[in-house]
Amino acid sequence: MPTVARELAELAALIAEPGRALILSRLMDGRAQTASELALVAGVTPQTASWHLGRLAQHTLLKVERRGPRRLYRLASPLVAQILEGMMTVAVTGAQAARPPSRIDAAMRRARTCYDHLAGELGVALADAMRERDYLVLDQEAGELTAAGTAFLGSLGVDLAPPARHRRVLCRPCLDWSERRPHLAGRAGAALAELAFRRDWIRRRSQGRSVEITDAGLAAFRTLFGARI
């Protein structure tokens, strides 16, 4: 019986290299970055970073975008982000107790992006609130927006129509590594995050993928969604 054990081992070894793991973690916020920026993140020379990036792109973990003379790198797909988030969930199991918490830990746990959707306390609180209002059916295996949920998001200006020739699922769970419960991913999760950025409910920080919840955002999440955040 054929297996993918060899391919799995190769993928794990590729991600396991510390510099590449740091690069992939930085790109989990969904934004594209240059090789020079990622070299600083990984603590390596630009030449070494280019080699790492080439390896990751060769194995379809990253994709390269050209903007004029510059090359920008981002995660190849939401599936890659899903794999990394799952690995992070396993990695932190039992590890947090041995390490004192930091301000970065607190900010990441409070609110962050997971590729292009919301995670942390904020992401899980929104998913919980939408389930309580029967807008969303979400468990560890699958997710579905109800008719009421589709209408609710539509009333906020969320466009859930799929792009042409796009096969990404509308709604799926993504196990949150810090909360150990699912938050909302898929097109619906991405659209909700885009709405929050557009309405200035959340703001990106200068570095990392934690996000700041604004006063307007805190009011909106509590009033419109009923989120306990």
Side-chain angles (χ1 to χ4, degrees):
M1 180 178 179
T3 70
V4 293
R6 185 179 67 180
E7 290 81 359
L8 177 61
E10 290 175 353
L11 178 63
L14 185 71
I15 297 173
E17 199 284 328
R20 290 195 285 266
L22 287 168
I23 288 171
L24 291 168
S25 295
R26 172 54 65 91
L27 293 175
M28 279 287 288
D29 67 357
R31 289 179 285 186
Q33 298 199 35
T34 65
S36 297
E37 291 169 330
L38 293 170
L40 291 175
V41 169
V44 298
T45 65
Q47 293 81 4
T48 300
S50 294
W51 182 76
H52 285 320
L53 292 167
R55 291 268 292 159
L56 292 169
Q58 179 184 2
H59 287 78
T60 65
L61 292 177
L62 298 184
K63 63 181 178 181
V64 187
E65 300 175 356
R66 291 186 178 273
R67 296 182 188 173
R70 297 197 305 167
R71 286 187 175 187
L72 298 177
Y73 297 84
R74 66 168 71 244
L75 295 186
S77 70
L79 176 60
V80 175
Q82 183 182 355
I83 292 169
L84 295 173
E85 187 78 5
M87 294 179 71
M88 289 174 183
T89 302
V90 175
V92 300
T93 300
Q96 293 300 314
R99 182 167 60 88
S102 68
R103 286 185 300 171
I104 295 175
D105 290 333
M108 286 282 284
R109 290 175 180 276
R110 177 64 170 170
R112 65 181 183 274
T113 53
C114 176
Y115 190 59
D116 59 0
H117 54 272
L118 298 174
E121 293 174 4
L122 174 60
V124 171
L126 289 174
D128 287 346
M130 291 179 68
R131 283 190 291 186
E132 289 170 6
R133 294 189 173 189
D134 295 324
Y135 293 159
L136 177 66
V137 178
L138 194 71
D139 58 26
Q140 298 287 351
E141 302 298 330
E144 181 181 1
L145 277 178
T146 64
T150 301
F152 167 69
L153 292 179
S155 72
L156 297 177
V158 175
D159 183 9
L160 297 175
R165 294 182 294 181
H166 202 290
R167 296 183 178 180
R168 187 178 184 185
V169 298
L170 174 63
C171 177
R172 70 164 180 82
C174 183
L175 183 60
D176 196 283
W177 65 258
S178 58
E179 295 298 298
R180 312 293 175 83
R181 293 188 291 125
H183 55 247
L184 177 62
R187 293 201 324 273
L192 180 57
E194 191 277 331
L195 172 74
F197 279 119
R198 175 160 42 89
R199 293 200 174 184
D200 198 36
W201 293 346
I202 56 174
R203 295 172 184 168
R204 294 191 186 276
R205 300 185 190 274
S206 57
Q207 292 185 344
R209 58 187 177 108
S210 65
V211 296
E212 174 191 358
I213 305 174
T214 65
D215 290 341
L218 196 60
F221 295 138
R222 289 173 174 172
T223 303
L224 295 177
F225 292 82
R228 292 187 289 274
I229 185 70

